[in-house]
DNA sequence: CGACACCTTGAAGAGGTTCAAGAAATGTGG
DNA sequence: CCACATTTCTTGAACCTCTTCAAGGTGTCG
């Protein structure tokens, strides 16, 4: 029933230049990490870079790191030294307090930058955990600062990435502060599918990488409420749900729910 | 009963160098806006600047702007060009959607920087409204970028300000996603009084510049719930409340409420 | 195949909202 | 400066949404 497979949602479409060419290391340029060949470039990198600027940025993004499903990319309290660009895989970030509160602050996918929380105190203030096997580009922050003093478009880009995160969080505050359960879940699904679509995936089918409990934490709901709300959407023929496979049948209905134009019911 | 007056909470302690000296413009240095003489400097500015660096930064912060109570400093959709450092007064930032949702995303006071949301799309995505007559330093963002390419400590400072805002919003997400009404209001009061204390005000008395409705919007509660929760705190002898005057009688109790160590009740 | 994590559903209960009325403070114009 | 209009705040009662507790089902992985 669901065409979506773990493979088709994950790394399938991403070619790894480095491994493709390592059997014939004739052109030295291609063995190092190559942003210029990365198909996530338009998500990570500023536009309109000159060739020599791109070369210099590639020097910053020299190291990659693999993170197994369930492993921490970084943890609360850990020293901050780098930002990470997600190449493949899916992460959650969450904060945990001493008294046992827990809050998922976001879900991040390929092309997104994570670690910005660590800059201010020079140590991380949340955990970043891989929800599936993942690979990230490690970008030492002092190198980023150094280079962004010289490459204006990179400087601007860094500022925009941080501002974008601030604006995203405003949206989450709106969601948590003013929406009811159905509205939250509808907004969540639309947001996820829109970001996946921007990466070449289906507009209507998605594979949730997170549990109902993690969705609930992010949305300020209990896992039972998330489950019940899914069931209600299924009843209303708005989505099909089979565990973590979700097919959206009626995008417009979801949008109406978010914009609470369904009030007259 | 309450020593706190509007005067004592507002602008009383801030001397305005520019207006003091404009009748005798003998020393040209003192007529321009002088960060070096601003007692908010430690809140706005990076530490350990050399004299010439500070001079250059002062050139960036050349203009001030007064904002009347109730007026917008900037509005959703408006072109972004500057960040603002609050000199005096008190602001709220809020987002409003077409379908009529409204969410206060923060309350800002002297020494804090506002306008970061506008960087990513080069126009603002929220409204900033003065809750009392206010004055801000206008800092054109392209000048900030220019200068932060040359003054490393300024660059670092800009990054930290943005990261701090991201971390602050994580805290709000925790509050909205996992706390009950009493916990939210307790956290809100503690946060406000802590920031006021850092600016030389009382640790136990504060004058709320916002309505119950605005507090409720920020905390994801209805105004009636805010009012009832205040009444409950008064009943429990944790605070005294007389309209917008609040005196905290038992800070520890508030902290216990936030850390939900009051469960055994 | 069994252990474990995850998901669904029901029933009862708590916390917050809604609606409504009145009181207190604030602002405005004569 | 007072009277009036307006805004803001408080409180009660009924209601509703979401949570809590509980049980059973489904899927996954060694």
């Amino acid at each position: 029933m669901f065409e979506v497979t773990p493979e088709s949602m994950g790394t399938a479409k991403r070619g790894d230049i480095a491994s493709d060419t390592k059997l014939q290391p004739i052109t030295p340029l291609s063995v190092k990490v190559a942003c210029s060949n990365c198909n996530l470039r338009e998500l990570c990198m500023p536009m309109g870079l000159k060739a020599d600027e791109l070369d210099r940025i590639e020097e910053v993004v020299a190291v990659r790191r693999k993170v197994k499903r369930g492993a921490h990319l970084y943890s609360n309290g850990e020293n901050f030294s780098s930002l990470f660009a997600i190449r493949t895989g899916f992460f959650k970030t969450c904060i945990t307090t001493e008294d046992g509160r827990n809050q998922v602050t976001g879900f991040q996918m390929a092309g997104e930058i994570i670690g910005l929380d660590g800059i201010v105190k020079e140590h991380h203030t949340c955990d970043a955990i891989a929800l599936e096997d993942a690979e990230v580009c490690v970008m030492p922050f002092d190198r980023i600062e150094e280079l962004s003093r010289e490459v204006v478009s990179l400087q601007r880009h860094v500022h925009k990435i941080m501002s974008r995160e601030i604006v995203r969080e405003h949206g989450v505050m709106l969601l948590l502060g003013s929406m009811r359960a159905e509205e939250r879940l509808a907004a969540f699904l639309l947001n996820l599918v829109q970001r996946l679509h921007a990466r070449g995936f289906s507009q209507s089918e998605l594979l949730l990488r997170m549990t109902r409990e993690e969705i609930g934490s992010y949305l300020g709901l209990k896992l039972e409420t998330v489950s019940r709300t899914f069931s209600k959407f299924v009843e209303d023929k708005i989505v099909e749900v089979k565990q973590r496979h979700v097919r959206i049948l009626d995008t417009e209905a979801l949008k109406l729910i978010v914009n609470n134009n369904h009030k007259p019911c």
Side-chain angles (χ1 to χ4, degrees), chain A residues 195-211:
Chain A
R195 285 154 68 202
L196 288 168
H197 186 54
R199 285 157 181 78
F201 297 110
S202 167
Q203 289 195 60
S204 59
E205 295 191 18
L206 64 160
L207 185 59
L208 302 172
R209 314 290 351 187
M210 69 295 280
T211 66

Side-chain angles (χ1 to χ4, degrees), chain A residues 220-263:
Chain A
L221 302 169
K222 293 295 158 185
L223 69 95
E224 295 94 330
T225 307
V226 174
S227 180
R228 267 186 257 272
T229 308
F230 268 127
S231 299
K232 170 134 194 335
F233 284 174
V234 170
E235 221 172 282
D236 295 350
K237 304 259 188 297
I238 296 172
V239 299
E240 283 175 2
V241 178
K242 196 178 178 186
Q243 297 293 121
R244 301 201 178 176
H245 300 263
V246 175
R247 170 182 284 159
I248 297 174
L249 301 175
D250 191 345
T251 305
E252 283 312 307
L254 287 178
K255 288 181 182 167
L256 286 178
I257 289 172
V258 174
N259 299 322
N260 68 23
N261 293 351
H262 62 315
K263 270 201 170 161

Side-chain angles (χ1 to χ4, degrees), chain A residues 94-108:
Chain A
C94 55
I95 40 181
T96 312
T97 63
E98 315 81 54
D99 52 304
R101 278 188 217 280
N102 197 63
Q103 176 71 31
V104 172
T105 56
F107 297 108
Q108 296 83 16

Side-chain angles (χ1 to χ4, degrees), chain A residues 9-240:
Chain A
M9 296 286 297
T11 64
K13 302 172 78 181
R14 319 287 176 211
D16 188 337
I17 303 300
S19 62
D20 287 352
T21 55
K22 79 181 160 196
L23 294 175
Q24 35 174 328
I26 302 162
T27 49
L29 266 171
S30 58
V31 291
K32 65 176 187 180
V33 171
C35 294
S36 41
N37 288 311
C38 179
N39 52 13
L40 293 169
R41 179 179 153 196
E42 60 205 26
L43 293 166
C44 289
M45 286 285 137
M47 299 284 110
L49 285 174
K50 295 177 203 128
D52 63 319
E53 291 174 340
L54 191 56
D55 281 355
R56 299 189 62 189
I57 292 178
E58 285 182 9
E59 283 170 40
V60 170
V61 194
V63 180
R64 291 210 185 129
R65 187 170 141 195
K66 288 184 188 296
V67 188
K68 278 269 162 219
R69 176 179 168 188
H72 285 61
L73 173 59
Y74 56 80
S75 303
N76 181 22
E78 198 171 294
N79 269 359
F80 166 79
S81 63
S82 302
L83 300 180
F84 305 95
I86 302 175
R87 256 184 72 77
T88 63
F90 206 94
F91 285 85
K92 70 168 176 180
T93 48
C94 55
I95 40 181
T96 312
T97 63
E98 315 81 54
D99 52 304
R101 278 188 217 280
N102 197 63
Q103 176 71 31
V104 172
T105 56
F107 297 108
Q108 296 83 16
M109 57 180 73
E112 297 178 334
I113 307 295
I114 99 184
L116 299 170
D117 61 278
I119 297 169
V120 60
K121 290 178 196 274
E122 315 205 4
H123 59 76
H124 287 286
T125 58
C126 66
D127 300 328
I129 299 170
L131 296 180
E132 59 179 341
D133 291 357
E135 192 181 22
V136 299
C137 300
V138 180
M139 309 183 294
F141 190 62
D142 48 9
R143 300 292 306 281
I144 293 178
E145 286 191 322
E146 204 177 305
L147 197 55
S148 75
R149 267 176 249 134
E150 294 164 35
V151 181
V152 174
S153 63
L154 177 63
Q155 180 193 36
R156 175 49 63 104
H157 192 65
V158 169
H159 290 156
K160 288 198 175 183
I161 283 171
M162 299 186 80
S163 177
R164 178 178 301 129
E165 177 65 9
I166 289 169
V167 171
R168 180 191 76 81
E169 291 182 7
H170 285 173
V172 178
M173 288 167 68
L174 178 73
L175 181 145
L176 291 171
S178 79
M179 293 189 187
R180 296 180 306 104
E182 287 180 38
E183 299 165 344
R184 294 183 197 194
L185 189 63
F188 172 73
L189 288 174
L190 288 172
N191 174 269
L192 260 193
V193 87
Q194 173 255 309
R195 285 154 68 202
L196 288 168
H197 186 54
R199 285 157 181 78
F201 297 110
S202 167
Q203 289 195 60
S204 59
E205 295 191 18
L206 64 160
L207 185 59
L208 302 172
R209 314 290 351 187
M210 69 295 280
T211 66
R212 300 288 188 265
E213 187 168 20
E214 287 164 335
I215 296 172
S217 172
Y218 181 62
L219 299 179
L221 302 169
K222 293 295 158 185
L223 69 95
E224 295 94 330
T225 307
V226 174
S227 180
R228 267 186 257 272
T229 308
F230 268 127
S231 299
K232 170 134 194 335
F233 284 174
V234 170
E235 221 172 282
D236 295 350
K237 304 259 188 297
I238 296 172
V239 299
E240 283 175 2

